[in-house]
Amino acid sequence: MTDKFLNDQQDPKAVEKVYTRLVDLLTTGEEIIYIATQKKPLVNILPDCVALTNKRVLFFTPANLGLSIKFIDFVWKDIVDVFVKEEIIGAIFTVKTTNQAEMGVDYLPKVQARKLYQYAQGRKEEERELRRQRELEEKRAESGSFNFEHAATANQPAAPEPVAVAPSIVAPPLQEEPKRDELTEKLKKLRTLFDQGLISQDEYNAKKLELLSDL
């Protein structure tokens, strides 16, 4: 299963260890795209690794003399930029997040660092397009809710004028309190669940279409 991640001079033992750990971390619909392994000069016993999936970037560091492995991950929507700096020996791959945090690995073989950069840029483009579509959908939903409320108000029949009956006076009928826009509230809650990673993109799209179809 790890052979496809050994085409660019990756350390086979490091890839196997990271792959075994990574498989246990994958969420529903998550797939491994690429694994890069550090190649330190002279001694490269416990190399760090970087793994890309369609949902995250993960940095792995051996611990306890190689008996265990630690990791830190960043979801793509929180990554604002990726960098590759090529040096005399190897290259450095770094990601920068929305809260200005940075994480990187040095001494990566240049071919692996370039592949990481290539895949990361492609995934960032996809994330930007998804973000743009979500913003458009939210604007359409807000616009649709406004028009729906306006039309509902315009089509309401005029309230009858109060009729005076001697000797008592008939009070004007009470105006019905405008209903709260339940659709907008549901869309906002649905969006919050998606942003927090509690539902997938497909679940978010299906539920949103279901809500909008009730108009």
Side-chain angles (χ1 to χ4, degrees):
M1 295 296 292
T2 62
D3 291 345
K4 62 181 179 179
F5 303 116
L6 300 176
N7 298 323
D8 298 314
Q9 306 172 12
Q10 286 95 335
D11 183 320
K13 292 182 178 179
V15 168
E16 182 178 359
K17 185 173 292 187
V18 166
Y19 180 83
T20 301
R21 183 75 175 93
L22 188 53
V23 167
D24 294 334
L25 299 172
L26 295 179
T27 60
T28 303
E30 188 171 15
E31 299 177 355
I32 305 172
I33 298 174
Y34 193 75
I35 299 176
T37 61
Q38 193 179 44
K39 189 174 183 180
K40 302 175 185 177
L42 300 179
V43 179
N44 193 53
I45 299 176
L46 301 173
D48 293 344
C49 299
V50 184
L52 303 185
T53 76
N54 57 326
K55 295 185 177 182
R56 293 180 284 173
V57 179
L58 301 97
F59 294 86
F60 292 90
T61 302
N64 299 321
L65 300 178
L67 298 178
S68 62
I69 187 167
K70 300 185 298 183
F71 78 94
I72 183 171
D73 63 334
F74 304 95
V75 295
W76 284 111
K77 70 181 183 66
D78 291 336
I79 295 176
V80 296
D81 213 344
V82 295
F83 309 93
V84 167
K85 180 181 179 182
E86 295 191 0
E87 300 184 327
I88 297 176
I89 301 178
I92 303 173
F93 174 77
T94 307
V95 300
K96 184 176 181 180
T97 68
T98 52
N99 61 1
Q100 304 303 309
E102 291 190 6
M103 185 71 185
V105 173
D106 56 4
Y107 294 117
L108 289 172
K110 294 179 181 179
V111 62
Q112 295 180 37
R114 291 168 186 165
K115 288 285 184 67
L116 287 174
Y117 182 79
Q118 176 186 356
Y119 293 143
Q121 285 294 338
R123 189 61 187 83
K124 280 175 72 265
E125 287 295 331
E126 293 176 5
E127 186 62 37
R128 277 195 288 266
E129 178 61 21
L130 289 173
R131 188 181 299 115
R132 186 184 69 83
Q133 291 179 4
R134 288 195 295 266
E135 290 173 353
L136 289 175
E137 290 166 356
E138 289 174 355
K139 290 179 180 178
R140 291 195 191 103
E142 292 173 359
S143 176
S145 298
F146 174 79
N147 292 336
F148 177 76
E149 289 180 349
H150 181 73
T153 303
N155 292 330
Q156 285 181 353
E161 296 182 0
V163 179
V165 178
S168 62
I169 299 176
V170 178
L174 296 176
Q175 293 286 337
E176 183 181 359
E177 183 180 357
K179 293 183 179 180
R180 192 175 181 181
D181 187 2
E182 297 180 358
L183 176 60
T184 300
E185 289 299 317
K186 289 181 179 180
L187 287 172
K188 288 181 179 179
K189 290 179 181 179
L190 182 63
R191 177 64 184 170
T192 299
L193 293 174
F194 176 75
D195 288 340
Q196 293 177 350
L198 298 177
I199 60 175
S200 66
Q201 179 73 51
D202 291 339
E203 292 171 333
Y204 170 79
N205 291 338
K207 185 61 178 177
K208 183 182 63 180
L209 290 174
E210 179 183 336
L211 291 174
L212 293 177
S213 66
D214 292 334
L215 289 176

